Amino acid sequence: MKPKATVVLDGFGVVESLRWHDDALWFCDMAHGTVHHWDTIGRPETVADVPGRAGGIGFLPDGRILVVSMEGLCVYRLEPDGSLVVHADLRDIAKGPVNDMYVDQEGRAYVGNFGFDYHAFLKRHPNSMLYVPPGPPRAPIACFSPEGELIGLSEPLAFANGLFPIDDGRTMLAAETMAMRLVALPVLSDGRLGPPRPWAPLIEPWLWKAVTAPGLVGSITRRVSALLDHQAIADRSSSPIAPDGIAPGKDGTAWVANALRGECVRVGPGGTILDRVATSQRTLSCLVAGPKGDTLYAATIATDDPPRARELNASRIEAYVLPS
């Protein structure tokens, strides 16, 4: 039996981008376009309303908040007077909604984007049809200077998502959601990201080969894979894992929020599954933090479709105290 997280906050549209800063948990609600601050006592405080749906969040060295506008195709900066200023512009980069973001200690912002209109695609096709050759659209991670100037773009990835640095900042670990793997990208001296290399595959090689194959084998596999769109079936599976948000774990491992089912998974290099913690719903973000630094927080959702999520307000933050 997997240990289970418990609900600590609820009533949101789509909780994403869990961050720990100044002894508090910060997060956004993508469905309602808000950014929140929670000191783990009582109810959270709303600190910003973001046009175009709030996405990834981060902090500049002076403490100012950066927040993605997913549909505005930009990163806003929250000034001390409460005003939002465009910090970085992705209109010429993003081919779909802007996604998660990591801001490093120097204030450089690493920002991904969908690469296409994902929700429009799902209204017409099952998710598995994204793997018809040549496969899902790819898009780069954009790196911006602390002043918001574009430094460079990574090689295109299949739905770049959560990010965090490893190897004392020399490498960036990224969730490549639609490739069902984590990749490692070297961080160059000027902050740009070098070529990615596989770090942890989260799908069996034979299944990946089959689902991406042309011809009859691929067609049959994709039809079977479409069953995972039915949540009752997905919840009874253990593979594959679609990594969304990721966070550092102990001993050089990574915690992964599994967008396919209700769980967070701790993964080692090479894809070894070390721990699983069950949640009540699919997970989009995870983080090990808290007053004692021993709590796994998970952002869970009933749906990631923005209009439906605004109606349901069923997204939650769940928590599990990790054993010492």
Side-chain angles (χ1 to χ4, degrees):
M1 292 288 292
K2 288 185 287 189
K4 293 184 178 180
T6 57
V7 177
V8 293
L9 287 177
D10 60 10
F12 298 93
V14 176
V15 175
E16 248 283 24
S17 291
L18 301 178
R19 306 286 188 263
W20 187 261
H21 180 74
D22 283 347
D23 299 320
L25 188 67
W26 299 70
F27 57 95
C28 68
D29 184 335
M30 294 197 306
H32 293 289
T34 49
V35 177
H36 302 270
H37 162 280
W38 183 50
D39 63 4
T40 72
I41 301 171
R43 293 296 296 178
E45 172 192 2
T46 301
V47 298
D49 289 280
V50 180
R53 292 203 297 133
I57 58 177
F59 301 88
L60 291 169
D62 62 10
R64 287 178 295 173
I65 303 169
L66 298 183
V67 56
V68 162
S69 172
M70 300 183 72
E71 294 169 354
L73 306 184
C74 69
V75 176
Y76 282 110
R77 186 178 66 245
L78 182 63
E79 295 295 322
D81 64 2
S83 62
L84 287 171
V85 176
V86 173
H87 179 79
D89 189 343
L90 287 95
R91 287 176 297 177
D92 293 333
I93 299 169
K95 305 304 180 185
V98 182
N99 196 23
D100 213 341
M101 172 177 64
Y102 177 80
V103 181
D104 70 12
Q105 292 182 341
E106 296 183 25
R108 293 182 298 216
Y110 296 86
V111 191
N113 75 90
F114 288 14
F116 69 110
D117 190 334
Y118 175 67
H119 293 293
F121 181 92
L122 290 188
K123 289 178 181 177
R124 304 188 304 271
H125 311 283
N127 186 77
S128 60
M129 293 305 292
L130 284 165
Y131 297 96
V132 175
R138 294 174 177 264
I141 298 169
C143 176
F144 294 94
S145 73
E147 296 73 36
E149 299 297 324
L150 180 65
I151 295 173
L153 303 175
S154 75
E155 292 186 10
L157 300 175
F159 210 98
N161 222 317
L163 304 156
F164 71 83
I166 58 175
D167 300 333
D168 296 324
R170 298 189 300 273
T171 305
M172 188 70 71
L173 201 63
E176 199 174 5
T177 302
M178 290 183 180
M180 299 185 192
R181 65 179 184 175
L182 305 184
V183 294
L185 303 93
V187 179
L188 307 181
S189 59
D190 61 358
R192 291 179 298 118
L193 298 176
R197 60 174 174 81
W199 192 84
L202 299 173
I203 183 173
E204 293 294 335
W206 67 266
L207 180 55
W208 178 252
K209 183 177 181 180
V211 80
T212 58
L216 185 61
V217 170
S219 179
I220 293 173
T221 306
R222 287 186 287 273
R223 287 179 182 274
V224 173
S225 295
L227 293 173
L228 285 175
D229 291 345
H230 299 279
Q231 200 58 51
I233 295 175
D235 289 342
R236 287 164 174 78
S237 305
S238 60
S239 177
I241 295 166
D244 196 311
I246 60 175
K250 63 181 180 181
D251 301 326
T253 61
W255 278 102
V256 173
N258 188 354
L260 290 180
R261 64 189 66 91
E263 65 177 0
C264 294
V265 182
R266 189 166 70 92
V267 178
T272 303
I273 306 301
L274 300 168
D275 292 296
R276 293 182 188 261
V277 174
T279 59
S280 66
Q281 307 178 108
R282 293 189 294 134
T283 57
L284 294 190
S285 182
C286 59
L287 181 69
V288 178
K292 297 182 179 180
D294 62 352
T295 302
L296 174 68
Y297 292 101
T300 74
I301 58 164
T303 176
D304 59 1
D305 178 64
R308 183 64 175 146
R310 285 191 291 269
E311 294 175 2
L312 292 176
N313 286 319
S315 186
R316 305 163 178 161
I317 295 179
E318 306 184 29
Y320 173 73
V321 177
L322 297 169
S324 56

